[in-house]
């Protein structure tokens, strides 16, 4: 039993040993793997396909919106495209993204564990994901669905004769995959920490994943049961949510958003976790206010459950409940702002190095802040009534989901790529892609704030001519963004063969994942590590390294 | 979390120790916590429907009274008692597994299986009666005693079939798990060191019972505490 310290690992060359990638080969060794690292990679592969598919629908919409007339897509097709785009991006890409890929791969290693608590369940959740996604994709082939990703009744009951059943069923199944992942993480974090790894020594990514998992566990079943009721309603034609049959459409919205607002935190909390890791690693400092950042994740998860009806201000809820939900929505801003302040405070006087993960995270911090602040605008009743269902809302949620969550996902992929594959990605190209994504993103979505504010409604394929200039800007930005996203696909694949060998700890970062080989051995560590240091103890590490050099 | 760490070589490998765990204690705690987490998901799953159920009860009180009157309270009552007894036998099975008495464990598990099956049998009987009476929602719904309330009574029946169906599904899964546990107990897998699976099974079984304890008054006893609007 040895405890690993910083100075020795920094210079430890990866022994030429077996790792999780070369222990065995062949399709079956992947399809029946119980190794969390391989399952993470299976997820990475699957959600990348989804991202490309969702991106395709987005690009088609943006091309349609280049001109005011509806000339490229009929309005029916446009309706299907935004629906499929939304469903794919949210349920099949973004919700699994950081948890199922990076969480799966990194979390057990950060805990010093050999695997998640329930490896078979983990594999099962990937299969559920695949089955759900397959059902969802089948719907596209069969003719699509046009209700919007929210499946609002009575669109989804009376007016849509399309494949609402199939799509909701797909989302239902994927929901269980999400629940099982969350369950696995919670148990793993509670029960599988290495000796010495107390709660307040945990990396903030772990705290973030913990909070995320709680939301997955407690919110997703409500969506599941809501979708079941919707399916029953469509099959037996009894009014549960359909007003024409005596059902209550508002109840549907309440139940849908009871999940789907917290779901926003399933998307953003992991992103915040990645941000904390990256900020610490590239400023070589302890995260300022560690405990505040840790507890703010839990606070966000909790408060996230209390604000759902801010999506329903104009749907006919009473003025009083609207006021209460508006008021509560402001509270969520507090823990979110705490995080942003703490990251910036960490940056202050840090020796910031401008590697790609850091660039992505700086983008994340800026764009998330924009998304958050415009979220506060929307939480204000008066303004929301003005901009509901306009492009202002579209811009707002893309700032959070794409500018925030997707940026952080890319940051995390770059940050942990050396660990996952054992290879470095090409830094120059990666920086270029980070810049393209940032520029392209702003050009795509900033004009949409203006468009929405001056009244362009969402979900139409045609618009008034005076909106064209801003729409052209947005489509141009989308093209740059697409390029920015395509680049990593190319150079990351390239790096698998030609990338420089990464070594144990290419960033000189602290954290258990940086004490084991890259790629890690099948059981993650050759010996169970014993943790004797606090999270982000860069000062101690720098000191230790100085001492080794003095020797 | 155990404080002791073994090097790889000193592992005294218990045949049921999974490789990701350091020792049986850790494995046990993880599986118990896992089941609790699963149950918390389940609470929200059932909670979602019950919430919808309750809202419609407030909206359509008379229909809910009528719906409740269609239920066979005697059958439901018997089932409630049967399930409570099965919870007792389940608890005894866990206790015996922990004590390592193989025969008693198997006996108690079989008893639980028996009561679980009785429950499902009675439920099946009720379902058959409802079906015959035209109380299955959809095209088969032919109940028209109070025509103007029939659609709402049908909504009640949607909740009835949905909730009890979901519960019955859980019972069927429970019966499957019981069969597996009986087989394992018979093979002598359990003892003071290792009885986690039976305990986890027990948690699940008690939970399914408790769900019924909520469903019974909601779906059967409503008329007796009905809302009496003029
Ligand atoms: C992971 C990334 C993304 C997520 C999670 C996401 C999510 C969504 C959602 C939920 C909607 C609403 C769909 C609906 O109204 O039913 C939407 C709409 C839309 N998104 Fe995205 N999106 C992402 C990326 C993008 C990108 C990169 C672009 C542009 C290149 C884009 C362009 C659009 C457009 C044009 C709409 C339609 C707005 C409307 O007509 O209402 N999205 N997106
Ligand atoms: Cu919300």
């Amino acid at each position: 039993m040895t405890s690993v310290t910083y100075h020795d690992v920094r210079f430890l060359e990866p022994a030429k040993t077996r790792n999780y990638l070369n222990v065995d080969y062949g399709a079956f060794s992947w399809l029946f793997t119980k190794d969390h690292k391989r399952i993470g990679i299976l997820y990475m592969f699957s959600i990348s396909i989804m991202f490309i598919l969702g991106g395709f629908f987005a690009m088609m919409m943006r091309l349609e919106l280049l001109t005011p007339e509806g000339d490229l897509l009929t309005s029916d097709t446009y309706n299907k495209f935004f629906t499929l785009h939304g469903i794919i991006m949210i349920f099949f890409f973004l919700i699994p993204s950081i948890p199922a890929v990076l969480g799966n791969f990194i979390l057990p290693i950060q805990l010093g564990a050999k695997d998640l608590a329930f490896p078979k369940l983990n594999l099962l959740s990937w299969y559920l994901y695949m089955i759900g996604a397959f059902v969802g994709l089948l719907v596209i082939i069969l003719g699509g669905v046009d209700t919007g990703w929210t499946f609002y009744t009575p669109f989804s009951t009376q007016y849509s004769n399309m494949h609402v059943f199939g799509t909701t069923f797909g989302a239902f199944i994927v929901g269980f995959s999400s629940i099982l992942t969350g369950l696995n993480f919670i148990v793993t974090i509670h029960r599988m920490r290495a000796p010495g790894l107390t709660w307040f020594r945990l990396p903030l990514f772990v705290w973030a994943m913990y909070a995320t998992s709680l939301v997955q566990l407690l919110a997703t079943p409500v969506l599941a049961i809501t979708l079941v009721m919707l399916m029953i309603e469509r099959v037996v034609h009894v009014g549960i949510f359909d007003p024409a049959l005596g059902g209550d459409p508002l109840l549907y919205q309440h139940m849908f958003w009871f999940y789907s607002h917290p779901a926003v935190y399933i998307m953003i909390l992991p992103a915040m976790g990645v941000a904390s890791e990256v900020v610490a690693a590239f400023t070589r400092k302890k995260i300022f206010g560690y405990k505040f950042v840790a507890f703010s994740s839990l606070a966000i998860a909790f408060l996230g459950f209390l604000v759902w009806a801010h999506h329903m201000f104009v749907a006919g809820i009473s003025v009083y409940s609207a006021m209460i939900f508006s008021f509560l929505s402001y509270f969520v801003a507090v823990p979110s702002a705490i995080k942003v302040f703490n990251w910036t405070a960490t940056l202050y006087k840090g020796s910031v190095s401008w590697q790609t993960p850091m660039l992505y995270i700086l983008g994340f911090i800026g764009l998330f802040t924009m998304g958050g602040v415009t979220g506060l605008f929307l939480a204000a009743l008066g303004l929301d009534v003005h901009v509901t269902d306009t492009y202002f809302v579209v811009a707002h949620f893309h700032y959070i989901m794409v500018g925030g969550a997707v940026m952080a996902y890319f940051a995390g992929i770059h940050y942990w790529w050396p660990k996952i594959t054992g290879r470095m990605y090409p830094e120059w190209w990666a920086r270029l892609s980070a810049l393209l994504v940032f520029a392209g993103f702003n050009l795509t979505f900033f004009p949409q704030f203006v468009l929405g504010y001056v009244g362009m409604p969402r979900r139409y394929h045609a618009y008034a001519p005076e909106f064209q200039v801003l729409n052209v800007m947005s489509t141009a930005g989308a093209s740059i963004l697409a390029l920015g996203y395509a680049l990593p696909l190319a150079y990351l694949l390239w790096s698998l063969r030609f990338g420089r060998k990464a070594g144990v700890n290419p960033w000189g970062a602290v954290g258990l994942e940086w004490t084991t080989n890259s790629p890690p051995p099948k059981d993650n560590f050759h010996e169970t590590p014993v943790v004797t240091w606090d999270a982000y103890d860069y000062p101690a590490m720098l000191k230790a390294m100085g001492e080794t050099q003095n020797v | 979390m155990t404080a002791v760490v073994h090097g790889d070589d000193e592992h005294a490998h218990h045949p049921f120790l999974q490789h990701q765990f350091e020792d049986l204690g850790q494995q046990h705690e993880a599986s118990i916590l896992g089941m609790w987490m699963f149950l918390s998901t389940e609470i929200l799953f059932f909670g979602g429907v019950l919430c919808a159920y309750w809202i419609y009860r407030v909206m359509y009180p008379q229909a809910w009274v009528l719906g409740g009157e269609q239920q066979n309270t005697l059958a439901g009552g018997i089932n409630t008692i049967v399930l409570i007894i099965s919870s007792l036998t389940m608890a005894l099975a866990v206790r015996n597994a922990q004590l390592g008495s193989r025969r008693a464990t198997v006996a108690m598990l079989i008893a639980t299986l028996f009561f679980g099956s009785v429950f499902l049998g009675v439920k099946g009987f009720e379902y058959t009666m409802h079906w015959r009476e035209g109380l299955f929602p959809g095209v088969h719904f032919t109940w028209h005693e109070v025509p103007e309330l029939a659609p709402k009574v049908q909504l009640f029946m949607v909740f009835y079939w949905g909730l009890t169906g979901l519960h019955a599904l859980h019972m069927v899964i429970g019966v499957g798990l019981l069969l597996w546990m009986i087989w394992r107990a018979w093979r002598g897998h359990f003892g003071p060191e290792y009885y986690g699976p039976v305990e986890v099974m027990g948690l699940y079984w008690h939970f399914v019972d408790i769900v019924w304890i909520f469903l019974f008054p909601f779906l059967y006893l409503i008329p007796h505490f009905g809302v009496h609007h003029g």
Side-chain angles (χ1 to χ4, degrees):
Chain A
M1 171 168 112
T2 47
S3 66
V4 194
T5 49
Y6 312 125
H7 28 137
D8 41 15
V9 298
R10 249 303 273 207
F11 307 105
L12 199 142
E13 259 311 297
K16 185 94 183 104
T17 48
R18 295 201 159 252
N19 61 49
Y20 78 100
L21 289 169
N22 64 15
V23 276
D24 41 20
Y25 298 94
F28 284 106
S29 76
W30 282 86
L31 290 177
F32 296 110
T33 182
K34 280 175 269 161
D35 184 341
H36 66 101
K37 300 183 283 304
R38 286 192 168 199
I39 295 172
I41 289 186
L42 289 175
Y43 266 114
M44 186 194 291
F45 184 74
S46 338
I47 71 163
S48 302
I49 292 174
M50 289 298 164
F51 188 55
I52 293 170
L53 198 64
F56 164 77
F57 289 122
M59 262 340 271
M60 293 305 287
M61 284 191 284
R62 276 315 328 158
L63 288 176
E64 163 60 62
L65 295 173
L66 205 50
T67 56
E69 305 80 33
D71 34 22
L72 180 65
L73 309 171
T74 64
S75 52
D76 270 348
T77 313
Y78 187 87
N79 293 349
K80 290 182 194 170
F81 275 22
F82 72 67
T83 304
L84 293 170
H85 166 73
I87 291 170
I88 291 175
M89 285 302 199
I90 290 191
F91 293 120
F92 301 158
F93 169 70
L94 200 50
I95 288 184
S97 63
I98 296 180
V101 178
L102 298 172
N104 244 328
F105 198 102
I106 292 299
L107 183 96
I109 310 185
Q110 284 192 329
L111 296 174
K114 286 191 196 130
D115 205 316
L116 288 171
F118 309 116
K120 281 187 212 151
L121 208 60
N122 198 20
L123 184 63
L124 175 67
S125 73
W126 181 71
Y127 274 102
L128 287 174
Y129 169 82
M130 290 304 279
I131 295 169
F134 178 77
V135 173
L137 295 191
L138 207 59
V139 168
I140 301 182
I141 299 169
L142 294 177
V145 59
D146 63 353
T147 57
W149 76 279
T150 48
F151 307 115
Y152 268 15
T153 54
F155 293 143
S156 52
T157 45
Q158 286 281 311
Y159 299 107
S160 175
N161 43 20
M162 291 187 207
H163 301 279
V164 179
F165 189 93
T167 327
T168 42
F169 192 51
F172 173 81
I173 300 173
V174 170
F176 282 98
S177 134
S178 176
I179 291 174
L180 294 184
T181 304
L183 187 155
N184 223 336
F185 285 3
I186 292 184
V187 175
T188 306
I189 296 169
H190 271 282
R191 295 284 178 245
M192 313 276 288
R193 282 172 284 125
L197 191 52
T198 54
W199 281 89
F200 291 118
R201 284 179 176 173
L202 288 174
L204 288 165
F205 182 68
V206 176
W207 278 95
M209 288 311 314
Y210 187 79
T212 310
S213 303
L214 283 176
V215 181
Q216 284 174 303
L217 200 68
L218 299 179
T220 320
V222 177
L223 176 75
I225 199 66
T226 309
L227 295 181
V228 169
M229 289 199 272
L230 190 64
M231 289 187 266
I232 292 180
E233 169 147 18
R234 271 187 79 89
V235 174
V236 297
H237 298 288
V238 179
I240 303 180
F241 299 131
D242 184 344
L245 298 171
D248 183 352
L250 265 188
L251 179 63
Y252 175 81
Q253 294 189 20
H254 277 296
M255 295 186 68
F256 179 84
W257 288 112
F258 183 84
Y259 164 75
S260 291
H261 183 80
V264 175
Y265 297 109
I266 300 179
M267 307 178 210
I268 205 68
L269 280 167
M272 294 166 157
V274 174
S276 300
E277 296 299 301
V278 170
V279 165
F282 293 94
T283 52
R284 329 221 129 247
K285 281 173 68 180
K286 264 193 181 159
I287 285 285
F288 182 82
Y290 171 95
K291 284 193 182 169
F292 279 93
V293 180
F295 282 117
S296 62
S297 286
L298 295 180
I300 290 174
F302 173 70
L303 291 170
F305 275 100
L306 306 180
V307 300
W308 73 87
H310 64 209
H311 296 272
M312 302 166 56
F313 287 155
V314 298
I317 58 175
S318 82
V319 182
Y320 298 107
S321 63
M323 275 161 56
I324 289 170
F325 277 106
S326 167
F327 184 69
L328 287 173
S329 298
Y330 286 116
F331 274 98
V332 189
V334 176
S336 312
I338 287 179
K339 287 194 193 264
V340 173
F341 291 141
N342 282 306
W343 294 320
T344 19
T346 312
L347 291 174
Y348 178 70
K349 285 195 176 163
S351 50
V352 181
S353 50
W354 307 95
Q355 319 275 44
T356 311
M358 191 63 187
L359 293 185
Y360 270 112
I361 285 303
L362 290 174
F364 161 86
I365 296 177
L367 299 179
F368 170 70
T369 308
M370 273 288 286
V373 169
T374 51
L376 287 177
F377 293 6
L378 292 171
L381 276 176
L383 191 76
D384 184 68
V385 172
H386 176 64
V387 295
T388 289
D389 273 332
T390 69
Y391 265 84
F392 192 91
V393 176
V394 175
H396 154 70
F397 68 68
H398 282 85
Y399 264 80
I400 298 281
M401 295 197 289
V402 186
V406 180
M407 286 284 257
Y409 174 63
F410 275 74
I413 289 285
H414 284 87
Y415 179 57
W416 282 302
W417 190 255
K419 185 53 60 186
I420 296 174
T421 65
R423 303 279 182 162
M424 299 302 291
Y425 57 81
E427 192 63 48
W428 190 87
W429 286 100
R431 284 185 186 161
L432 180 67
S433 90
L435 292 181
L436 284 178
V437 167
F438 185 76
F441 177 85
N442 280 302
L443 188 56
T444 313
F445 292 105
F446 194 82
Q448 296 185 4
F449 278 127
V450 185
L451 278 171
Y453 197 76
V454 297
M456 177 169 160
R458 66 189 276 211
R459 295 186 171 176
Y460 288 93
H461 72 148
Y463 54 84
E466 63 265 31
F467 297 141
Q468 189 173 11
V469 177
L470 288 164
N471 269 296
V472 171
M473 285 168 71
S474 182
T475 302
S479 317
I480 300 176
L481 190 56
L483 184 64
Y485 285 144
L487 272 181
L489 194 67
Y491 65 70
L492 289 178
L493 285 175
W494 176 90
S495 78
L496 289 180
R497 262 198 100 94
F498 304 107
R500 196 158 45 77
K501 284 245 165 38
V504 170
N505 188 1
W507 309 125
V510 292
L512 282 176
E513 77 267 36
W514 302 111
T515 65
T516 187
N517 289 352
S518 317
K522 185 162 181 299
D523 282 343
N524 297 340
F525 299 93
H526 293 297
E527 287 163 75
T528 307
V530 177
V531 179
T532 52
W533 62 86
D534 284 347
Y536 314 116
D537 205 349
Y538 284 95
M541 170 175 171
L542 292 173
K543 197 160 151 259
M545 279 165 53
E547 278 163 13
T548 12
Q549 268 154 24
N550 293 341
V551 171
Chain B
M1 199 54 245
T2 43
V4 198
V5 190
H6 307 280
D8 264 349
D9 40 357
E10 17 177 320
H11 267 300
H13 273 295
H14 189 282
F16 297 119
L17 176 62
Q18 291 160 12
H19 97 289
Q20 71 272 25
F21 296 113
E22 294 290 339
D23 53 42
L24 281 173
Q26 190 187 29
Q27 174 170 330
H28 184 88
E29 288 177 7
S31 56
I32 300 285
L33 183 63
M35 183 44 84
W36 277 110
M37 290 296 117
F38 178 72
L39 297 183
S40 62
T41 270
E42 290 266 46
I43 290 174
L44 277 124
F45 195 69
F46 280 101
V49 218
L50 285 177
C51 169
Y53 166 93
W54 201 259
I55 284 168
Y56 287 116
R57 176 172 142 62
V58 174
M59 279 167 72
Y60 309 127
Q62 286 102 331
W64 253 231
V65 171
L66 282 172
E69 277 168 3
Q70 308 311 312
Q71 310 310 325
N72 185 338
T73 314
L74 180 64
I78 292 176
N79 258 352
T80 308
I81 294 168
V82 166
L83 271 195
I84 291 176
I85 298 174
S86 82
S87 253
L88 175 67
T89 53
M90 187 69 233
L92 290 172
V94 177
R95 183 69 191 140
N96 282 305
Q98 198 176 1
L99 294 174
S101 42
R102 187 174 71 107
R103 281 168 166 280
T105 312
V106 173
M108 284 303 133
L109 286 172
I110 291 180
T112 313
L113 180 71
F114 169 76
F115 290 117
S117 313
V118 169
F119 177 92
L120 285 171
V122 173
K123 197 73 232 156
F125 163 76
E126 285 178 80
Y127 280 160
T128 322
M129 299 311 280
H130 287 320
W131 180 271
R132 292 213 187 120
E133 289 157 14
L135 282 166
F136 189 80
V139 282
H140 299 288
F141 194 83
T142 50
W143 181 92
H144 289 299
E145 276 170 42
V146 188
E148 62 290 2
L149 284 177
K152 308 299 179 238
V153 173
Q154 190 181 3
L155 182 60
F156 175 91
M157 290 311 289
V158 167
F159 281 107
Y160 168 81
W161 283 89
L163 281 164
T164 57
L166 210 56
H167 178 261
L169 178 70
H170 279 77
M171 290 290 294
V172 171
I173 293 172
V175 165
L177 291 174
L178 274 172
L179 287 171
W180 182 38
M181 284 305 127
I182 292 171
W183 181 79
R184 292 195 65 180
W186 182 254
R187 300 288 304 264
H189 288 183
F190 304 123
E193 291 227 287
Y194 177 73
Y195 57 96
V198 190
E199 190 173 348
V200 169
M201 161 88 229
L203 282 176
Y204 175 84
W205 192 263
H206 297 317
F207 173 79
V208 177
D209 281 6
I210 291 172
V211 170
W212 180 257
I213 302 292
F214 277 88
L215 295 190
F216 179 57
F218 276 21
L219 297 170
Y220 290 74
L221 304 180
I222 289 294
H224 309 289
F225 304 96
V227 196
H228 298 285
H229 286 277

